[in-house]
Amino acid sequence: MRILASILIVATAGLALAGGVAYFTQREGIVQRIDERLLAQVEAARVVANGISGAEVGAAPTTPAEAPATTREALRAVLASVVPGRGEGAVGLVNGKVAYIPGVPMEIHLEESPEFIAQVAEESVDGQVRLGTSVSSALGYLRYVSVPVLVAEDPEFGVLVVAVDVRARLADLDAAFRTYTLVAVGALAVMALVGWFVAGRLLSPLRRVREAASRITAADISERIPVTGRDDVSEVARTLNDMLDRIDGSNRAQKRLLDDVRHELKTPITIVRGHLELLDPADPADVAAARDVAIDELDRMADLVDAIGSLAESASGASLRREPVDVDDLTADVFAKASVLSGHSWRLAESAGGVALLDPARITQAWLQLVDNAAKYSPAGSEVRLGSSRRDGAVEFWVEDEGDGIPPGAEERIFERFGRVDAGRGIAGSGLGLPIVKAIAEGHGGRVSLGSSSAGSRFAIVVPLPSDDVIPPDAAADGMAGSTVEGAS
Ligand code: ADP
């Protein structure tokens, strides 16, 4: 409504302005032509008057050398030559009284308005040609010229008056303008109608979006807004649908997590409960065994709760605190922590060098998780290698072991929550380690790469290094987060 109203207001103003300007210019032109015509009449009268007798028209009387003539004679001759056109009238006055009228039919009869005659007679006593305007109820709106007609030595004072009815002359223009007004009003009405229809059609998708959006409730967000076409409104619908997809996805993920957690907690609870039920309180050995089982299971539950907390935190990504980190220092740090784990021989194979923008605590956590897995799932005494390297604009923090590897087909499952291979092959674990590593890598815009064979596995956290994420070590040492590109080493 508002858009339409503003368009109509502007269109109305535009049409009115165009029409008004056109009307008044035309009108000015017509009025000017009326004056020209009246002055031409004066010229014609002058020629006629001079021609017959040397009478002077439109000027102070002079003494003609030729045969004298009377004022009346001159006036009569002049009037005889006047041919009034459409909406015109003429009259000859002698000493302020109507003395002659043209012998042809006229559309206006000046002689019928004594007031007009009196006004013109009074005005012309000074003997000047005068162009004037008269508005009266009897004659309407007139433009007239009064021309003194004088003959020397004749005391009589003649005046030729020619008048034009301005309204009659403007009649055509007025009619045209009335037509224009009608057409303009019609055009505005059509504009309003078409505008209303088009606006309704354009905005109807928006109405559908609103209706669909109001049907989508927190309980059921499966409905999607229908997207038709490629206009802005469809873009809005598409964006809303994408948003709903994300909300839906995260709702589902939350629900799955709850299901998984419930399932995972059920097992230790059942085990502890079974042991307590079968427990013989009189048998100290039985009590001790049940106690050990209960503590074990409770520890497992505590680990599980910690892992779930860690996973939730990593998955949100918001908790990342990126800073310029010296990759060599980070590598040495993690290696130092890994190498104290017993049961394996540890080797630092490679260090990438340079500086990267990342959250060192999170990367350390993820990397140590890979270290822990390598230690868990490879034979005791075997070598575990770790290192950092640069490849294709990314830095990799990797761990390589000599374990049995990941069986083909299980590569995806192990990254899912609680996903384990053969229930961890008898090795304790929650199945949440790799999902946490994955969430941390993805929080850094990266991924976890896996290369595995029966001779061992290589897990790597791949963190891409956009050119402006890499700054020279000197700047990092000064605590500056800069944007200088450093050549890959
Ligand atoms: P958890 O170790 O608690 O079971 P993870 O998510 O860390 O959970 O690992 C999921 C599964 O992936 C493990 O149960 C294990 O079967 C397999 N896995 C992980 N790391 C290795 C590895 N280095 N070598 C062989 N298998 C592995």
Side-chain angles (χ1 to χ4, degrees), residues 314-315 320 362-363 365-366 435-445 461:
S314 311
L320 283 187
R362 292 323 212 137
I363 293 292
Q365 180 193 354
I436 292 173
V437 177
K438 187 175 158 212
I440 291 173
E442 284 173 355
H444 283 81
I461 303 157

Side-chain angles (χ1 to χ4, degrees), residues 373 376-377 401 406 414 419-421 429-431 433-435 457 459:
N373 281 0
K376 275 198 307 190
Y377 300 109
D401 62 46
I406 311 293
I414 57 169
R420 307 193 74 199
V421 179
S430 62
L434 288 180
S457 320
F459 283 87

Side-chain angles (χ1 to χ4, degrees), residues 41-57 69-84 90-94 99-104 149-151 158-162:
Q41 297 275 22
V42 175
E43 256 337 286
R46 195 194 301 274
V47 170
V48 171
N50 285 342
I52 57 157
S53 61
E56 202 53 37
V57 176
T70 63
T71 297
R72 283 175 184 273
E73 210 174 303
L75 196 57
R76 190 168 52 235
V78 167
L79 266 168
S81 74
V82 169
V83 184
V91 74
L93 309 182
V94 175
Y100 303 100
I101 53 171
V104 291
V149 179
L150 301 168
V151 174
V159 180
L160 165 71
V161 186
V162 183

Side-chain angles (χ1 to χ4, degrees), residues 369-370 372-378 399 401 403-407 410 413-416 418-425 427-437 452 456-459:
Q369 177 67 49
L370 295 181
D372 192 46
N373 281 0
K376 275 198 307 190
Y377 300 109
S378 63
V399 180
D401 62 46
D404 291 341
I406 311 293
R413 183 152 45 91
I414 57 169
F415 287 101
E416 286 169 9
F418 305 109
R420 307 193 74 199
V421 179
D422 303 333
R425 300 175 191 121
I427 297 160
S430 62
L432 288 177
L434 288 180
I436 292 173
V437 177
S452 184
S457 320
R458 182 185 190 269
F459 283 87

Side-chain angles (χ1 to χ4, degrees), residues 267-269 271-273 275-276 279 286-304 428:
T267 320
I269 290 171
I271 293 172
V272 172
R273 197 190 149 79
H275 275 82
L276 290 179
L279 171 78
D286 208 10
V287 171
R291 178 182 168 277
D292 286 350
V293 169
I295 287 177
D296 254 17
E297 289 305 304
L298 287 176
D299 280 350
R300 210 153 72 78
M301 283 163 75
D303 285 351
L304 193 66

Side-chain angles (χ1 to χ4, degrees), residues 130-270:
R130 184 182 306 277
L131 265 175
T133 303
S134 147
V135 182
S136 68
S137 54
L139 297 173
Y141 175 19
L142 293 183
R143 189 87 181 132
Y144 66 89
V145 64
S146 58
V147 193
V149 179
L150 301 168
V151 174
E153 286 158 19
D154 185 346
E156 286 198 301
F157 186 79
V159 180
L160 165 71
V161 186
V162 183
V164 176
D165 182 351
V166 180
R167 289 244 163 74
R169 286 294 174 87
L170 290 177
D172 286 350
L173 179 64
D174 285 347
F177 192 67
R178 269 196 298 280
T179 312
Y180 170 81
T181 310
L182 280 177
V183 171
V185 168
L188 283 172
V190 171
M191 229 187 241
L193 219 72
V194 172
W196 181 256
F197 179 72
V198 171
R201 265 184 71 100
L202 284 181
L203 295 180
S204 72
L206 206 55
R207 208 164 21 244
R208 282 205 301 281
V209 167
R210 183 173 55 75
E211 284 163 6
S214 63
R215 275 200 302 277
I216 296 165
T217 59
D220 177 19
I221 57 168
S222 59
E223 174 154 354
R224 292 291 176 271
I225 299 156
V227 179
T228 49
R230 304 165 56 81
D231 53 9
D232 285 353
V233 180
S234 310
E235 258 331 293
V236 170
R238 210 166 281 134
T239 311
L240 277 175
N241 283 345
D242 288 350
M243 192 187 75
L244 288 170
D245 283 346
R246 284 198 299 276
I247 296 175
D248 210 10
S250 98
N251 277 1
R252 274 177 220 270
Q254 239 168 36
K255 194 167 168 301
R256 219 171 35 235
L257 177 63
L258 277 179
D259 288 348
D260 291 349
V261 169
R262 201 183 55 211
H263 180 258
E264 290 300 312
L265 287 178
K266 232 174 173 165
T267 320
I269 290 171
T270 317

